[in-house]
Amino acid sequence: SQKIEQNSEALNIQEGKTATLTCNYTNYSPAYLQWYRQDPGRGPVFLLLIRENEKEKRKERLKVTFDTTLKQSLFHITASQPADSATYLCALDMANAGNMLTFGGGTRLMVKP
Amino acid sequence: DAGITQSPRHKVTETGTPVTLRCHQTENHRYMYWYRQDPGHGLRLIHYSYGVKDTDKGEVSDGYSVSRSKTEDFLLTLESATSSQTSVYFCATGGQGDEQYFGPGTRLTVT
C-alpha cells in the first residue's frame, strides 16, 4: 500500500530564512500531490497542488517541487515569518480513487523572530 | 473553514452509546469526506460520499456508518462508541478541483 513520510520532528528556523519541508512516498505513482497548512485546533487549509507532469509550482512565498523519480516533494517557504509557524501536511491522490487523498503525518514548523 | 460547519464541536460520551456527528456545507460540493486525526497517525479517511445517497468506505471504516440524504449534509454515526474512537473528526468537501476544504473539527472523547 502507498506510504507517505514526512519528518515528524519539528523544524525550527529563524525569521527571514527559507524553510524546506520534505514529503517522500513509496509504492505508488500519484497523479498529483497537495500541501496543506494546519494550525492548532483548526482544520487543514489547502495551499498548493502540483501534478505529476509539473516540476515546480509557486504561489507568493511558497514553492513546491515534485520529483517523480525520487518520489519526493519539497515545500519551500521563503522569507519565513513567525506567522508561518504551523503544521504542514502533504497529501497524495489515492490509487484508483482520484478524488480521495492519503495524508502524511505532517511536519511542524516553528519560525522564531 | 468557510462554508463548512461541524456539530457538535466538542462531545464527551460514554462507551457503548451511539453518537452522530453532522457536517453541513454551503458550497454545493459533490464530494464529502469524514476523517479522523490522531497523534502518530495523521489524517485517516473513514468514509466518503460522491453524491446524495452514494457513499463508500475509507481506510478506517469499522465501527462507523454514514448517510447523505441531501447535498449539503453528511452524517457520521458511531453505532456504539468505544474508547478507541476518541479522536478529532474532520469533515471535508471537494468540488470540481482536486483540493479539499476542511471544517473546523469535532473533538470526541469516549469515556
Side-chain angles (χ1 to χ4, degrees):
Chain A
S1 62
Q2 59 196 112
K3 185 177 180 181
I4 304 170
E5 294 182 349
Q6 294 185 257
N7 193 340
S8 59
E9 293 185 11
L11 176 64
N12 295 293
I13 65 167
Q14 203 68 32
E15 182 177 7
K17 301 293 186 182
T18 296
T20 299
L21 286 69
T22 304
C23 177
N24 296 298
Y25 59 93
T26 59
N27 300 333
Y28 183 51
S29 295
Y32 57 78
L33 186 147
Q34 302 184 21
W35 284 89
Y36 289 78
R37 169 183 172 142
Q38 185 173 24
D39 292 286
R42 307 196 68 161
V45 175
F46 171 76
L47 296 175
L48 281 168
L49 179 153
I50 186 166
R51 301 195 181 276
E52 60 179 337
N53 60 346
E54 299 174 314
K55 296 293 185 184
E56 179 180 301
K57 183 164 278 190
R58 294 174 183 262
K59 177 183 176 182
E60 298 174 350
R61 294 186 294 112
L62 309 180
K63 184 179 84 171
V64 173
T65 63
F66 194 8
D67 189 325
T68 56
T69 301
L70 292 178
K71 293 188 182 296
Q72 180 182 79
S73 175
L74 298 179
F75 177 80
H76 306 272
I77 305 176
T78 58
S80 59
Q81 305 166 0
D84 295 326
S85 299
T87 296
Y88 291 86
L89 311 172
C90 74
L92 278 65
D93 63 295
M94 285 189 179
N96 301 319
N99 289 98
M100 291 194 292
L101 299 174
T102 299
F103 282 84
T107 297
R108 185 178 177 195
L109 172 66
M110 299 285 289
V111 181
K112 299 183 178 181
Chain B
D1 297 355
I4 303 172
T5 57
Q6 293 184 233
S7 58
R9 293 294 314 279
H10 301 272
K11 186 171 182 65
V12 179
T13 192
E14 293 184 347
T15 298
T17 59
V19 177
T20 296
L21 308 182
R22 180 178 183 245
C23 178
H24 179 78
Q25 58 137 335
T26 59
E27 308 296 323
N28 200 34
H29 284 166
R30 175 184 178 187
Y31 300 95
M32 297 187 75
Y33 311 86
W34 276 108
Y35 293 89
R36 60 178 291 174
Q37 187 172 40
D38 305 287
H41 290 280
L43 279 164
R44 292 180 291 174
L45 182 66
I46 304 171
H47 280 280
Y48 66 99
S49 169
Y50 44 96
V52 174
K53 292 186 168 49
D54 291 324
T55 65
D56 207 344
K57 297 179 180 180
E59 178 188 358
V60 290
S61 60
D62 287 348
Y64 301 94
S65 62
V66 290
S67 66
R68 192 170 177 199
S69 59
K70 297 185 291 185
T71 299
E72 57 266 36
D73 292 325
F74 194 31
L75 304 180
L76 176 71
T77 297
L78 290 65
E79 301 290 346
S80 178
T82 67
S83 58
S84 65
Q85 293 176 312
T86 292
S87 186
V88 180
Y89 291 86
F90 288 102
C91 171
T93 69
Q96 294 299 319
D98 296 309
E99 65 271 22
Q100 294 184 10
Y101 301 90
F102 284 79
T106 294
R107 183 173 294 276
L108 176 68
T109 303
V110 184
T111 61

